[in-house]
């Protein structure tokens, strides 16, 4: 990890699955790759009251060769209600590697990856609490099945009505 200021991305963990949850911050730090490039790594979650790094000295990344296990995440786009990030107070609301690199004043010669990594390897019982590494895919199979069976039923009813009308017209 590079010696650069942490980046604090606002987060909310409504269901506590680890040691901490609630309102807090995801901690991002730049990680120098063996080829000289840089990728921002989400080291994990800290509660609101432990946002400042001096309150959790054991959480500082050690400057050594490390292997990061995690999930690759893409840059986020703002939604209609996403507040603007405030670099002056180090409060971010979007995952944006280019903005993070500008905030950390990384050298222009260092290529910054356009993706981020959510670290899922443990931090040895210290904060930040690593990401749970869960990817949720939408599961709408029941909704799809209901829709298609309803459409099939409508088709059967419409065919029945069409044939009945045709038969009555033929009888006249």
């Amino acid at each position: 990890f590079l010696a650069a200021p942490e980046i604090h991305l606002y987060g909310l963990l409504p269901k506590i699955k680890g040691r901490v949850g609630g309102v807090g911050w995801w901690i991002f730090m730049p990680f120098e790759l063996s080829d000289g490039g840089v990728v921002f790594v989400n080291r994990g979650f800290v509660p609101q009251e432990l946002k400042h790094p001096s309150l959790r000295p054991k959480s500082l990344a050690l400057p050594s060769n490390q292997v990061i296990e995690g999930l690759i995440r893409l840059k986020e786009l703002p939604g209609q209600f996403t507040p603007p990030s405030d670099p002056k107070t180090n409060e971010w609301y979007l995952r944006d590697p280019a903005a993070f690199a500008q905030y950390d004043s990384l050298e222009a010669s260092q290529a910054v990856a356009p993706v981020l990594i959510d670290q899922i390897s443990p931090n040895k019982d210290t904060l930040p609490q690593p990401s749970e590494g869960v990817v949720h895919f939408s599961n709408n199979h029941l909704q799809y099945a209901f829709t298609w069976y309803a459409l099939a039923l409508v088709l059967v009813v419409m065919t029945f009505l069409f044939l009945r009308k045709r038969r009555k017209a033929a009888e006249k």
Side-chain angles (χ1 to χ4, degrees), residues 28-95:
F28 284 82
M29 293 187 71
F31 184 80
E32 186 172 21
L33 304 171
S34 58
D35 67 358
V38 173
V39 64
F40 279 91
V41 175
N42 176 1
R43 297 202 54 235
F45 182 83
V46 296
Q48 176 75 30
E49 60 273 7
L50 296 174
K51 177 183 177 187
H52 199 275
S54 65
L55 298 174
R56 44 186 171 76
K58 292 182 180 180
S59 74
L60 299 176
L62 302 174
S64 62
N65 288 340
Q66 296 182 14
V67 175
I68 301 291
E69 180 184 345
L71 300 171
I72 293 178
R73 302 282 187 188
L74 299 175
K75 169 187 172 177
E76 293 177 332
L77 299 174
Q80 185 175 0
F81 300 106
T82 305
S85 296
D86 187 2
K88 293 177 185 172
T89 60
N90 193 11
E91 294 179 357
W92 301 82
Y93 298 95
L94 288 174
R95 298 171 192 249

Side-chain angles (χ1 to χ4, degrees), residues 2 33 52 59 69 73 99-100 107 139 143 155 160 164:
L2 297 175
L33 304 171
H52 199 275
S59 74
E69 180 184 345
R73 302 282 187 188
F100 291 174
E107 297 176 20
N139 181 359
Q143 179 181 340
L155 179 63
F160 172 76
R164 189 173 84 174

